[in-house]
Amino acid sequence: MSGKADRTETRVINQTENKISDTTGKFTIAVKNGTQVDQVSWLEGRIILSDQRLILLGDSGQLAIDFSDITGLSGQKQPNQSLAALSDYMRVELGSDVVIIVPEAYESFRERFYTATLEGETVRCKHPAVSGGVVQTASWETARLGINPNHVVVTLNDGTQATLEFEELSDTTVTKQTINGAERTVIRASHLSDETMVETHIAVPQRARVFAQSLFKQAERRSQTDIELTRTEQEVLLALHTGVRPFDIPSFVGSDVTTIEETFDQLIEYGIIDRVRMRQEVELNASGRNIAANALDD
């Protein structure tokens, strides 16, 4: 970082950009010219977000990061042991350099960041491209992205909207497809829509590719779980998904009441069902519906 941190606000934010967030936190360079930094040196200061760039202000100077210079983006990664204790941070790749940013109120900052980089972005969309495993006849339509804390809304030119709830995402795959004679980066997002597994295909322009891929990949991780379910847990989950009443599940799966109640307790602990009443009255939440729907598709 170079320059002085006490520059006036008018020199930090220029007249062509709008300030979105101004918070405090810490930041460091973790990789320099492709080589990982052995001793991470943290700087504390301001983290300013505009609609065009990130600006890091510390006692030793400032670093301005234009969105167009960001070549990779992720969160909650551990590039070395000195960062392992951090739970909420952004890893920003700038070519062969990597900057780690730890803002206060990480979730709020993260939401504003994706809003700044993706809100109103013009894309091409097929919705639904696939429904219930069957390829649909939807054509590519011009659309705009709307970014919300828990979902993305894709609004097509005709007013049709596709809402992609983050908790309902099961998989996002990035491919290359030719659209109107030009190769485009396409995000294929699999998600539940009215209890049916569908795919929405979104072709994003180059300037938005890094941010869109990062947003959907982080959302996918939020909706997934690495839980290894036992056979009984799988049977209970699928029974709930197919509409069997909780009180009828013991006889439905051929198990005793105590075992099923213990299974309910374990699934609640996993966070994939919610308790409605004190004993035996439970229901699937979004994560559970997602897991069960994927199991049925298999």
Side-chain angles (χ1 to χ4, degrees), residues 40-240:
V40 171
S41 177
W42 290 101
L43 294 176
E44 295 187 355
R46 292 166 63 192
I47 302 173
I48 300 173
L49 172 67
S50 81
D51 57 354
Q52 298 178 25
R53 56 185 179 153
L54 275 167
I55 303 170
L56 311 178
L57 291 170
D59 289 339
S60 63
Q62 76 173 45
L63 175 64
I65 302 172
D66 291 342
F67 293 156
S68 59
D69 291 334
I70 297 176
T71 57
L73 186 69
S74 58
Q76 298 180 314
K77 295 189 75 172
Q78 298 178 4
N80 63 35
Q81 286 300 108
S82 62
L83 296 171
L86 299 176
S87 59
D88 296 322
Y89 59 91
M90 292 179 63
R91 183 179 188 272
V92 181
E93 298 176 15
L94 305 168
S96 59
D97 296 342
V98 174
V99 177
I100 304 297
I101 302 172
V102 186
E104 297 287 344
Y106 169 80
E107 287 296 331
S108 174
F109 181 85
R110 175 182 173 278
E111 292 167 9
R112 292 182 179 185
F113 179 83
Y114 284 116
T115 297
T117 53
L118 291 172
E119 178 70 34
E121 184 67 51
T122 300
V123 299
R124 302 280 285 174
C125 179
K126 271 188 181 181
H127 176 77
V130 179
S131 180
V134 179
V135 175
Q136 304 296 295
T137 59
S139 58
W140 287 104
E141 303 286 346
T142 300
R144 288 188 179 275
L145 297 181
I147 309 301
N148 296 275
N150 297 309
H151 62 272
V152 169
V153 177
V154 186
T155 303
L156 279 61
N157 272 351
D158 64 4
T160 301
Q161 289 189 333
T163 300
L164 284 68
E165 297 285 349
F166 293 153
E167 288 192 348
E168 306 286 9
L169 279 172
S170 63
D171 181 57
T172 57
T173 304
V174 179
T175 65
K176 295 287 187 180
Q177 295 186 32
T178 300
I179 303 173
N180 295 334
E183 188 177 69
R184 299 283 297 272
T185 298
V186 175
I187 298 174
R188 301 190 303 184
S190 299
H191 58 104
L192 281 176
S193 178
D194 296 326
E195 301 300 324
T196 300
M197 191 60 80
V198 304
E199 282 188 19
T200 298
H201 293 182
I202 303 172
V204 295
Q206 181 67 24
R207 64 180 177 275
R209 177 183 57 82
V210 168
F211 310 112
Q213 288 180 212
S214 174
L215 172 65
F216 280 104
K217 186 54 65 177
Q218 289 195 40
E220 178 189 339
R221 287 198 294 265
R222 283 174 55 183
S223 71
Q224 290 182 337
T225 177
D226 294 329
I227 297 167
E228 291 285 342
L229 297 177
T230 66
R231 181 177 181 83
T232 300
E233 289 167 349
Q234 292 177 12
E235 290 175 345
V236 169
L237 194 64
L238 293 176
L240 287 169

